[in-house]
Amino acid sequence: MALSNEKAKEYLTRRISPKEKYEDLLKFPRYIEIETVNACNARCPMCTINDWDRRYSAMTDELFQKVAKEICEHTDEVKRVVLYRDGEPLLDKKLPEKVAILKKGGVKTTSISTNVALLSEKKAADLLESGIDHVILSIDSLVKDVYESIRVRCKFEEVMENAHRFIQLRNKIRPRTQVFIRMIRQKSNLNEWPEYQKYWSKFVGPQDRVYYHNIFNWGGQLKGFEPVSQSYELELPCVALWSLFVIFCNGDVPLCNVDYNKKYPTGSVVTHSIQEIWQSQIMNQRREWHLTGKKNSISLCENCNVWDEAHDSEHVSNDYASAHEIPVNV
């Protein structure tokens, strides 16, 4: 049963920024994802890369500077800037420079998620020295054959070596950088979690996290999707419409983080500001649908389970998915 309008607003505020008012969320996004490269070195079965219609190269320096400038003017509101979307961020040779620009501008938290295969010693050191605040190491298994069946084109031994070295360099260069080690839980690794958690917990610090996120269906777009838990929050409004702003390489803005082919165009930061798009009529219409139990007006939202979290483990809050962690299958 859907929440009442006011209860839905209370829920969203509590999830996203409990010290603020609902109206504050409509001013500027709290979480921003910037896709600086539209490419990946891997071909994972839980990813949609083979269905991408977008074939951009890299974001231009001019466009990144424009976006960064506006973000840095709103550092009181922005909680985190994530420098990736669907691909592998380490393919961007200028990634450390971009992190440094955002940190110099006052952004509180900068983040990436990586499949770790390209995380060489030099790239690790450069990232840490640039001031990166949060790095997700996406490693799905401790078993070589299982891992390589999931992270196709990645080599298990290289990834493990890169991950351990990164943690060691973090401890030396920038100890306050958080390291999250994540498993995308799916059919092939379903029973590995206890051993996985035990293993990685030996190497991380108190500010870090070892966790899993269940495989999700990309708003019903993932072919051959096999859920490992049942969706149980479909009636709630999606926090993404009140918290998350995604920017593709060419400046296009999709509906959200699952709209990888921009089925629901929202605008472009080439011609408009982030704030203009965030406060636009089309965004407010989508929010209204979610508030009034009409989220199925948007096909991607109807059965989307991107924000679902497992509820059978102590590492997950009762509030299902934390708005502080943007779920991805990559």
Side-chain angles (χ1 to χ4, degrees):
M1 183 176 179
L3 299 176
S4 68
N5 196 282
E6 287 306 310
K7 286 291 185 182
K9 290 179 179 179
E10 289 176 11
Y11 158 78
L12 289 163
T13 306
R14 173 168 51 85
R15 280 283 309 283
I16 298 166
S17 194
K19 294 182 180 180
E20 296 186 89
K21 297 178 181 179
Y22 172 80
E23 290 72 22
D24 294 329
L25 303 180
L26 305 177
K27 295 177 181 178
F28 203 80
R30 297 302 183 266
Y31 301 90
I32 299 173
E33 291 187 359
I34 307 173
E35 177 191 72
T36 67
V37 290
N38 176 231
C40 190
N41 58 306
R43 290 296 183 272
C44 307
M46 66 281 194
C47 181
T48 57
I49 189 168
N50 292 326
D51 295 325
W52 292 358
D53 291 336
R54 304 181 293 114
R55 287 294 181 265
Y56 314 138
S57 52
M59 180 175 284
T60 66
D61 292 344
E62 180 183 17
L63 181 56
F64 181 82
Q65 290 283 358
K66 178 183 186 292
V67 169
K69 182 177 184 296
E70 183 178 3
I71 292 171
C72 292
E73 291 169 353
H74 290 270
T75 53
D76 288 342
E77 295 151 299
V78 176
K79 294 177 181 288
R80 177 175 295 175
V81 178
V82 180
L83 289 168
Y84 70 95
R85 173 60 318 258
D86 298 328
E88 170 51 53
L90 295 181
L91 287 170
D92 182 355
K93 295 180 181 179
K94 295 184 177 180
L95 186 63
E97 295 175 32
K98 294 180 172 73
V99 172
I101 288 169
L102 293 169
K103 293 304 296 180
K104 185 177 180 181
V107 171
K108 300 180 188 73
T109 304
T110 54
S111 175
I112 66 164
S113 173
T114 174
N115 61 36
V116 194
L118 302 178
L119 192 56
S120 66
E121 183 172 0
K122 184 180 188 311
K123 287 182 179 179
D126 288 347
L127 263 179
L128 290 163
E129 289 167 359
S130 74
I132 192 79
D133 299 289
H134 177 248
V135 177
I136 300 173
L137 305 179
S138 204
I139 305 171
D140 302 308
S141 177
L142 296 176
V143 180
K144 175 180 170 64
D145 291 346
V146 175
Y147 172 83
E148 293 183 354
S149 72
I150 296 173
R151 297 286 163 173
V152 178
R153 297 187 183 179
C154 297
K155 293 184 178 180
F156 176 75
E157 293 85 359
E158 291 180 359
V159 165
M160 294 294 285
E161 180 182 354
N162 289 349
H164 282 290
R165 183 177 57 229
F166 183 79
I167 295 170
Q168 293 165 4
L169 287 171
R170 184 281 304 267
N171 295 342
K172 179 180 178 181
I173 298 174
R174 198 172 191 271
R176 64 181 178 275
T177 295
Q178 287 185 306
V179 174
F180 281 19
I181 302 178
R182 180 185 61 203
M183 169 195 287
I184 302 299
R185 198 174 72 143
Q186 50 203 282
K187 186 176 180 180
S188 60
N189 62 8
L190 190 58
N191 298 317
E192 286 190 46
W193 168 247
E195 188 62 30
Y196 182 98
Q197 183 184 39
K198 181 180 178 181
Y199 176 83
W200 284 113
S201 295
K202 295 182 294 186
F203 302 103
V204 298
Q207 81 273 33
D208 302 325
R209 184 183 178 199
V210 180
Y211 73 112
Y212 67 78
H213 191 282
N214 287 327
I215 186 174
F216 63 81
N217 64 5
W218 290 93
Q221 299 176 97
L222 184 63
K223 296 176 181 177
F225 171 70
E226 293 186 58
V228 294
S229 71
Q230 295 301 311
S231 175
Y232 58 98
E233 300 288 1
L234 290 176
E235 296 300 326
L236 291 174
C238 180
V239 294
L241 291 175
W242 284 265
S243 62
L244 176 63
F245 193 88
V246 177
I247 304 170
F248 287 152
C249 275
N250 67 342
D252 286 346
V253 178
L255 167 69
C256 63
N257 55 323
V258 305
D259 189 11
Y260 58 86
N261 275 335
K262 202 184 62 174
K263 289 184 177 179
Y264 289 88
T266 307
S268 170
V269 294
V270 174
T271 54
H272 292 82
S273 68
I274 294 172
Q275 188 169 50
E276 287 171 337
I277 297 171
W278 190 248
Q279 297 177 358
S280 65
Q281 182 178 354
I282 192 169
M283 283 292 294
N284 287 329
Q285 175 64 78
R286 292 167 180 169
R287 292 179 183 126
E288 183 64 20
W289 283 333
H290 274 245
L291 284 173
T292 56
K294 299 176 183 177
K295 64 193 294 184
N296 60 359
S297 298
I298 305 171
S299 64
L300 292 183
C301 302
E302 187 173 4
N303 293 304
C304 182
N305 70 337
V306 64
W307 296 101
D308 286 359
E309 274 283 7
H311 52 288
D312 55 358
S313 174
E314 293 179 358
H315 79 289
V316 180
S317 73
N318 291 329
D319 224 356
Y320 88 115
S322 168
H324 293 271
E325 182 56 48
I326 306 302
V328 288
N329 272 353
V330 292

